[in-house]
Amino acid sequence: MWDMESFQPDFAISPTKGYISPGMDVPFVVTFRPSKLSQAVQYEGLRCFIQGSEPLLLTLAGSCVEVPDTKETLTFTCNVRERQSQTILLSNPSSEAWTLQPILEGKYWKGPEFIHLEARQKEKAYQVTYRPLTMSSENKKHQGSIFFPLPDGTGLHYHLEGTAEAPRCSGAISRQVPCRISHTELIPVSNWLHRPQRFLVVIDMLKPENLESSSVLQGCSYIDVPSSAKEDYQLTFLSYKEGVFSAKVSFLNETTGEYLFHMVTFKVMASGPISTVKMSTAVRQRVSSTIKVDNPLPVPVTFDINCEVPDVSVPQDFTVPAQSKANLALEYQPLKTGESTGHLVLQSNDLGSLSYKLQLKATSSRPGKPVYFRTTLGSRQTVTTKIRNFAQEKTEYLLQTDCADFQTAKSISAAPASSGGSDLNVEVTFEPCHLGEAKATLQLSSALGGQYCIPLIGLALPPEPQGPFLIPAGGTTSISFRNVFPKSTAFQYTVKHPAFAVRAPGMLRAKSSTTITVSFTGGRAPVTSRLVVSCPGGSWIYHLRGLPSTR
């Protein structure tokens, strides 16, 4: 145990008492704090009492000199809570090594506790670091000093002056976020003090200067951060339309005025389709569907509607009342079979664009109402039927049947249809080539109007007798006859009464017509008979009446 009173007033030693084991070394720290100027301060016979032994004696000597004039002023400038270092060059001109313990004043400066200089060593660097935790002002800069006491009784004194500027941005955050989806950004907030801090959160919009009602950028008003710790601040962002939004988010200690800040930028991209609308129907049949559109704003919103699918009908504009939902009706009336996709886009100045995917399927329609025909073999019957044309542009329909008994034009033109469709007349001619029933399908096809199928049903009856054909005595008559068969056919012409003579070709080409000439030689009385034209496919009867001679 040391006799502490004997060290007063210029010296102190620690520890003042304790225990020591055999073979153990205990270091003591002696502090010299002179109370007055003196070139020689010496204390002799300072005793340390040891149990069971004689006291140990210690002699301390020191020198107290005036603080020398400031050799130099070191100026530091950096942002608050950052660092700047400078070096002081020290030299030892003596023949003995020095170990110097600088005296550093000023709470924002730090340096090594000791520096060792070898004998006659020149310009050894000692580094002083400035790390301010508070901002300085123009009229009140941070002040400090460092004093190097030298063994030769002199010393070196430096004045320290620091300027702590406003903090640098703690981080720049840039994110791409989709429309109408809330995004939470975690901003790290660090506490640089060894005590808890409460920060006021200040959000300053940079672009645009003022947020519209269609965008939200918000978070809690305060955040508490424990000492020397870090916490995440939750910033919530939501925008209903595309754009770039930039803000400065500051965290302010209202008591000290110190703060830190982050720069936040959100690039809002058009989101994908909100939903998929599926519709399926037969061609030329209408089907309806609805889309529920939400308006979260406190004002009514009017949308312009754009749909590039020609088979889908929508209104030109659509208004949703404030803070409510409304149903948008759309109709699908396809003209051609198949599956297709498309997009429906609702555009407004307040809520941006809303996109919906359309998934469409058009199936074949049922055949149209059958068209019936009834005629005799060798005759023709023409019937006019109708289709409903929905093509909004002028188009041409190609016509085709799968049976030669039914004939139509190769194509017909259709003018642009009205919104509800327009009737288009189609003529079909039935010319049977055999007795009995004949069936066919009339197909109409157009690149714009799609396809139509109409069943055709014809009934061919046996030829009915024709006439009588009156022939004057010594004169002739002509009877039209047609080969209704699809190939060249040989016909036989038979008249039972010898007073009549027939002149006609024996072989007729397919679907060709001819004239049968019948002559009558005459007599005193009228003569009746009949002409029979026959072939393997049928026979035709023509009644003849010869008129008597007038002489």
Side-chain angles (χ1 to χ4, degrees):
M1 182 177 65
W2 291 95
D3 180 9
M4 292 303 297
E5 292 184 359
S6 61
F7 285 77
Q8 300 293 332
D10 298 315
F11 291 96
I13 191 170
S14 65
T16 59
K17 59 182 178 179
Y19 298 91
I20 187 170
S21 301
M24 180 180 176
D25 292 330
V26 177
F28 293 94
V29 178
V30 177
T31 303
F32 179 45
R33 290 191 179 90
S35 58
K36 60 183 178 180
L37 294 174
S38 176
Q39 288 292 331
V41 179
Q42 185 167 326
Y43 285 44
E44 297 180 349
L46 301 175
R47 293 176 296 176
C48 177
F49 299 101
I50 300 175
Q51 184 178 3
S53 179
E54 293 294 326
L56 296 177
L57 300 180
L58 175 66
T59 298
L60 300 176
S63 176
C64 179
V65 298
E66 292 186 10
V67 176
D69 294 337
T70 300
K71 182 177 180 180
E72 185 181 348
T73 297
L74 300 180
T75 302
F76 297 80
T77 301
C78 67
N79 299 96
V80 66
R81 298 185 293 280
E82 296 188 8
R83 301 173 185 267
Q84 186 189 19
S85 298
Q86 296 195 43
T87 57
I88 299 174
L89 299 179
L90 302 175
S91 299
N92 177 11
S94 70
S95 59
E96 296 182 358
W98 289 354
T99 298
L100 306 182
Q101 184 178 13
I103 300 172
L104 188 60
E105 295 184 351
K107 61 180 179 179
Y108 298 134
W109 282 274
K110 292 188 179 299
E113 186 177 0
F114 296 96
I115 180 173
H116 182 77
L117 287 83
E118 300 293 340
R120 305 191 186 284
Q121 184 175 359
K122 294 182 179 180
E123 295 186 345
K124 184 170 183 179
Y126 180 85
Q127 183 171 281
V128 182
T129 300
Y130 173 57
R131 185 178 182 269
L133 297 182
T134 60
M135 292 181 289
S136 63
S137 63
E138 185 67 28
N139 300 324
K140 189 177 180 180
K141 298 183 179 181
H142 296 149
Q143 305 293 328
S145 65
I146 185 170
F147 176 64
F148 295 91
L150 304 179
D152 60 4
T154 62
L156 299 174
H157 182 262
Y158 293 84
H159 178 68
L160 308 177
E161 184 178 89
T163 300
E165 298 177 342
R168 200 190 305 269
C169 177
S170 298
I173 299 172
S174 181
R175 299 283 185 266
Q176 286 189 355
V177 296
C179 287
R180 292 178 297 281
I181 297 179
S182 179
H183 173 78
T184 299
E185 186 65 41
L186 299 180
I187 301 178
V189 182
S190 299
N191 181 3
W192 58 89
L193 299 181
H194 297 297
R195 64 176 185 271
Q197 288 194 81
R198 165 167 281 198
F199 295 98
L200 170 68
V201 183
V202 180
I203 301 176
D204 296 314
M205 287 302 304
L206 304 178
K207 182 181 180 182
E209 293 184 359
N210 297 305
L211 277 181
E212 299 177 355
S213 59
S214 59
S215 302
V216 176
L217 183 65
Q218 63 184 13
C220 296
S221 300
Y222 289 89
I223 181 174
D224 295 304
V225 185
S227 60
S228 302
K230 182 185 293 185
E231 290 288 339
D232 287 332
Y233 176 77
Q234 294 188 357
L235 181 68
T236 300
F237 175 73
L238 171 65
S239 178
Y240 287 95
K241 61 180 183 179
E242 302 95 299
V244 177
F245 300 81
S246 298
K248 178 182 178 182
V249 184
S250 303
F251 301 88
L252 172 67
N253 186 319
E254 295 178 288
T255 302
T256 65
E258 299 298 320
Y259 69 94
L260 58 88
F261 70 94
H262 289 258
M263 302 300 295
V264 180
T265 300
F266 297 106
K267 185 177 182 181
V268 183
M269 311 296 291
S271 62
I274 296 175
S275 63
T276 298
V277 181
K278 297 182 179 180
M279 290 186 287
S280 177
T281 186
V283 292
R284 295 180 293 279
Q285 301 299 314
R286 293 180 182 269
V287 64
S288 300
S289 184
T290 58
I291 297 174
K292 185 166 289 187
V293 182
D294 182 19
N295 174 19
L297 304 185
V299 294
V301 174
T302 298
F303 294 91
D304 293 328
I305 303 176
N306 180 27
C307 182
E308 297 181 354
V309 182
D311 295 336
V312 176
S313 302
V314 292
Q316 290 185 346
D317 54 53
F318 175 66
T319 300
V320 183
Q323 295 179 334
S324 62
K325 298 180 180 180
N327 289 327
L328 170 65
L330 57 155
E331 288 187 342
Y332 174 49
Q333 186 181 29
L335 301 183
K336 294 188 290 185
T337 59
E339 297 184 10
S340 61
T341 58
H343 287 86
L344 175 69
V345 179
L346 282 67
Q347 185 74 39
S348 76
N349 294 329
D350 299 313
L351 291 179
S353 61
L354 310 181
S355 177
Y356 299 86
K357 183 178 180 180
L358 303 179
Q359 190 169 318
L360 311 172
K361 183 177 181 180
T363 59
S364 299
S365 64
R366 293 181 179 179
K369 186 178 180 181
V371 179
Y372 292 94
F373 300 81
R374 182 186 179 93
T375 188
T376 59
L377 186 66
S379 299
R380 296 182 178 184
Q381 182 185 13
T382 299
V383 175
T384 300
T385 185
K386 296 180 180 181
I387 63 169
R388 194 73 172 171
N389 172 41
F390 293 93
Q392 299 298 306
E393 299 178 21
K394 183 178 180 181
T395 186
E396 185 174 357
Y397 285 91
L398 300 180
L399 282 64
Q400 184 179 4
T401 64
D402 56 1
C403 178
D405 290 358
F406 299 90
Q407 291 123 32
T408 63
K410 292 184 177 180
S411 64
I412 54 174
S413 295
S418 61
S419 59
S422 301
D423 286 337
L424 180 64
N425 292 332
V426 181
E427 288 188 352
V428 183
T429 298
F430 176 53
E431 186 181 31
C433 62
H434 61 85
L435 296 174
E437 189 178 68
K439 293 184 178 181
T441 300
L442 171 62
Q443 290 187 340
L444 297 89
S445 60
S446 163
L448 298 178
Q451 288 190 341
Y452 296 74
C453 293
I454 302 175
L456 306 176
I457 301 175
L459 179 62
L461 301 174
E464 294 181 354
Q466 300 181 46
F469 293 89
L470 302 179
I471 308 173
T476 63
T477 190
S478 297
I479 301 173
S480 297
F481 183 76
R482 179 178 173 82
N483 177 13
V484 296
F485 301 108
K487 62 182 179 179
S488 296
T489 305
F491 292 89
Q492 293 182 351
Y493 308 90
T494 305
V495 180
K496 291 186 176 181
H497 198 285
F500 296 93
V502 178
R503 187 174 70 250
M507 180 72 68
L508 290 180
R509 294 192 305 271
K511 301 295 182 181
S512 65
S513 299
T514 189
T515 299
I516 302 174
T517 302
V518 182
S519 60
F520 175 58
T521 58
R524 293 185 178 276
V527 177
T528 60
S529 185
R530 64 177 183 174
L531 167 65
V532 178
V533 181
S534 61
C535 71
S539 60
W540 291 260
I541 298 175
Y542 302 89
H543 290 285
L544 306 175
R545 182 178 179 84
L547 300 178
S549 173
T550 57
R551 295 177 184 179

